[in-house]
């Protein structure tokens, strides 16, 4: 078999992998990025395509422009199940053309020296002395297997987790997930018959009947094009996602012309805290494969970028030290958890709570502003649901007269705070991981009992 050697092998060129490549390019390392897709389809995966502007600012990444940008976003409108309450959350963002933007980022990385092989799949890891030392890959253009030896592998295979799932179980980054910690999501992008009235706003419709454990969305891509779809919780034995789509699409997007469809498709969204560790000897896992999406709204492109940035930073440091062990790469976890992971843990609990609410609870909660829109924004931006908010909510709920899951809100806020505290005390080295992980699991078990 042909053998080649690189410093870094990046597997997957989606938002996570291409961001890592972009930040690593031109830094004196020999880098290979591979993706199973042909170049023209890189970045093309089922997605709502909405990304907050802040992520680009925080990471020094270029804004989408030209064909990469389909609509500037000014905020999100959130609708209660009975449609009687509309909340508006202000915030700048972009509705992007994901393939165009991803190919731009990857193209810039390639221009600055990163080698890119499309139509090439990582088949299996090369493992030696407990270290990941590369991968056997298959190049579909030349129909040949190649052994790629590298000091480091950055695993960015998306929700398929197709590389890290082949690692032995004793390597912590092989950790699997519970299907209930996912949403199954499906979307169509199509032209509309009428002009969209306020294309600057993303619309999110919460309804446990039409999208149990998730929501419907209507994300404009200009005045006459829209990305419309829904998520439902995985592992619950619900009917297929298509059944829901076919049954309810007219409730949310009556104006779409399905004869003028541009693209359709579905995929999984992880809705949990990140992998307990994103690194092990010789490997960093990023993006959906590392469960980096936001547990409450399912958006994962911004946090995939954060994880790519953190991976690049610690990879550069590892090369400076000449040490690719889990201890050396550990700072990836610290970097990611500080920037997003701790908030995810807190929002995982919030998500578990929200998914148990009935439509009546949500109608009531939104109408009476048990939580106000700014509190929801604050919670989904920082992961903090203030206890003062929960206190106020208790006073509102006191007038409710019937027992409700909403009564548990104060407990929920406390647990969210506690789990964030645990992430603030994230282990400083791998040897403390097992203990910490057991504590986090214990807290989640306890929380589930409280809200059951
Ligand atoms: P991504 O899946 O993009 O990339 C992985 C890449 O790895 C792919 O290109 C694949 O071909 C490649 N690959 C996999 N295995 C390989 C192998 N063995 N060898 C070589 N290549 C391999 N997020 C958001 O921010 N805003 C939104 O509006 C939405 N909406 C939304 C809707 C729907 C329907 C879904 C399913 C998801 C969303 N998300 C979202 C989530 C978002 O799409 C997701 O979090 C990111 O795209 C994840 O980016 P990654 O780079 O991690 O994976
Ligand atoms: C309830 C479980 C839901 C499970 C998930 C469903 C999966 C569906 C499929 C995924 C579709 C993805 C849509 C992505 C939307 C992007 C939203 C967005 O960009 O949000 C911004 C940015 O957040 P960020 O975390 O990326 O960045 C933070 C910061 O900018 C950078 O540090 C923030 O805006 C919001 O968060 C608005 C709130 C959205 C809430 C979604 C609905 C939740 C349901 C709430 C019910 C409330 C009821 C209360 C009653 C008490």
């Amino acid at each position: 078999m042909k053998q080649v050697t690189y410093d870094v092998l990046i597997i997957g060129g989606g938002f996570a992998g291409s961001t890592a490549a972009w930040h690593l390019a031109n830094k004196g390392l020999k880098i290979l990025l591979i993706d199973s897709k042909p170049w023209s389809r890189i970045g093309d995966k089922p997605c709502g395509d909405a990304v907050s502007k802040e992520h680009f600012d925080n990471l020094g990444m270029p804004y989408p422009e030209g064909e990469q940008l389909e609509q500037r976003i000014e905020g999100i409108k959130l609708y209660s199940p009975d449609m009687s309450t509309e909340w508006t959350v202000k915030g700048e963002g972009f509705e992007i053309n994901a393939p165009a933007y991803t190919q731009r980022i990857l193209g810039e990385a390639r221009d600055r020296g990163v080698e890119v092989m499309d139509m090439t799949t990582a088949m299996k890891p090369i493992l030696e002395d407990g270290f990941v030392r590369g991968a056997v890959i298959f190049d579909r253009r030349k129909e040949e297997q190649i052994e790629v030896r590298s000091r480091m592998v950055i695993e960015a295979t998306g929700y398929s987790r197709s590389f890290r799932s082949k690692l032995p179980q004793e390597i912590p980054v092989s950790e699997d997930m519970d299907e209930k910690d996912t949403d199954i999501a499906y979307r169509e992008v199509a032209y509309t018959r009428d002009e969209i009235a306020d294309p600057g706003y993303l619309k999110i419709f919460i309804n446990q009947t039409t999208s149990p454990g998730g929501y419907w969305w209507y994300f404009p891509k200009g005045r006459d094009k829209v990305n419309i779809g829904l998520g439902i919780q995985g592992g619950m034995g619900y009917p297929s996602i298509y059944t829901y789509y076919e049954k309810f699409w007219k409730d949310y997007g009556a104006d779409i012309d399905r004869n003028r469809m541009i693209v359709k498709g579905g995929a999984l969204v992880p809705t949990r805290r990140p992998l307990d560790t994103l690194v092990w000897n010789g490997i960093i896992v990023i993006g959906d494969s590392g469960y980096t999406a936001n547990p409450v709204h399912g958006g994962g492109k911004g946090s995939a970028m954060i994880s790519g940035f953190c991976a690049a930073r610690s990879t550069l440091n590892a090369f400076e030290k000449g040490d690719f062990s889990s201890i050396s790469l550990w700072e990836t976890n610290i970097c990611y958890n500080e920037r997003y992971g701790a908030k995810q843990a807190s929002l995982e609990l919030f998500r578990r709570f929200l998914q148990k609410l009935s439509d009546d609870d949500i109608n009531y909660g939104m109408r009476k502003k048990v939580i106000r829109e700014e509190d929801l924004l604050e919670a989904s931006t920082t992961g903090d649901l203030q206890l003062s908010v929960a206190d106020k909510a208790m006073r509102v709920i006191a007038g409710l007269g019937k027992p409700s899951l909403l009564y548990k809100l104060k407990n929920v806020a406390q647990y969210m705070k506690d789990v964030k505290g645990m992430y603030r005390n994230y282990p400083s080295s791998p040897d403390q991981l097992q203990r910490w992980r057991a504590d986090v699991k214990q807290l989640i078990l306890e929380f589930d009992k409280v809200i059951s």
Side-chain angles (χ1 to χ4, degrees), residues 48 50-52 54-55 58 76 78 87 89 183 185 202 204 206 213-215 217 219 230-231 269 271 294-299 302 340 343 351 353-355 357 361-362 365-366 370-371 376-377 380-381 406 409:
V51 192
S52 161
E54 252 184 276
H55 292 296
N58 292 344
I76 303 178
L78 209 59
W87 281 358
V89 181
D183 257 50
L202 304 176
I204 287 182
I206 304 153
Y215 59 80
W217 70 85
F219 292 175
L230 78 155
V269 185
T271 56
N294 183 305
V296 163
H297 61 56
Y340 210 86
K343 148 176 154 171
R351 184 267 294 168
F353 165 74
L354 288 175
Q355 285 174 326
L357 293 178
D361 283 331
I362 301 169
M366 287 183 70
V370 163
I371 298 176
L376 181 67
L377 180 65
S380 77
T381 311
L406 281 174
L409 201 57

Side-chain angles (χ1 to χ4, degrees), residues 172-191:
V173 293
S174 66
E175 185 186 338
D176 205 356
M177 70 178 157
D178 186 334
E179 277 182 71
K180 289 188 178 144
D181 291 333
T182 65
D183 257 50
I184 303 156
Y186 173 84
R187 63 89 177 88
E188 294 185 351
V189 178
Y191 286 100

Side-chain angles (χ1 to χ4, degrees), residues 2 4 6 32-37 39 42 110 115-121 137-142 144 146 148:
K2 182 172 153 188
V4 292
Y6 285 87
L32 173 65
L33 182 146
I34 62 168
D35 199 294
S36 302
K37 293 176 180 163
W39 177 269
I42 285 182
R110 192 174 55 180
E115 269 179 63
V116 178
M117 284 172 71
D118 67 348
M119 294 181 70
T120 301
T121 300
I137 67 172
F138 184 72
D139 175 352
R140 287 209 310 288
R141 284 189 189 280
K142 294 195 181 139
E144 67 174 350
I146 306 170
V148 180

Side-chain angles (χ1 to χ4, degrees), residues 57-95:
D57 293 332
N58 292 344
L59 302 173
M61 305 273 298
Y63 294 150
E65 58 191 18
E67 58 150 2
Q68 304 143 21
L69 174 62
E70 296 188 286
Q71 179 63 51
R72 271 184 188 281
I73 301 301
E74 297 158 49
I76 303 178
K77 288 185 177 169
L78 209 59
Y79 296 87
S80 62
D82 62 6
M83 297 282 205
S84 69
T85 310
E86 175 194 287
W87 281 358
T88 302
V89 181
K90 290 263 184 190
E92 284 181 90
F94 306 110
E95 179 62 23

Side-chain angles (χ1 to χ4, degrees), residues 95-111:
E95 179 62 23
I96 60 167
N97 173 331
Y101 184 75
T102 314
Q103 288 163 30
R104 173 208 174 158
I105 292 301
L106 204 49
E108 288 181 9
R110 192 174 55 180
D111 293 346

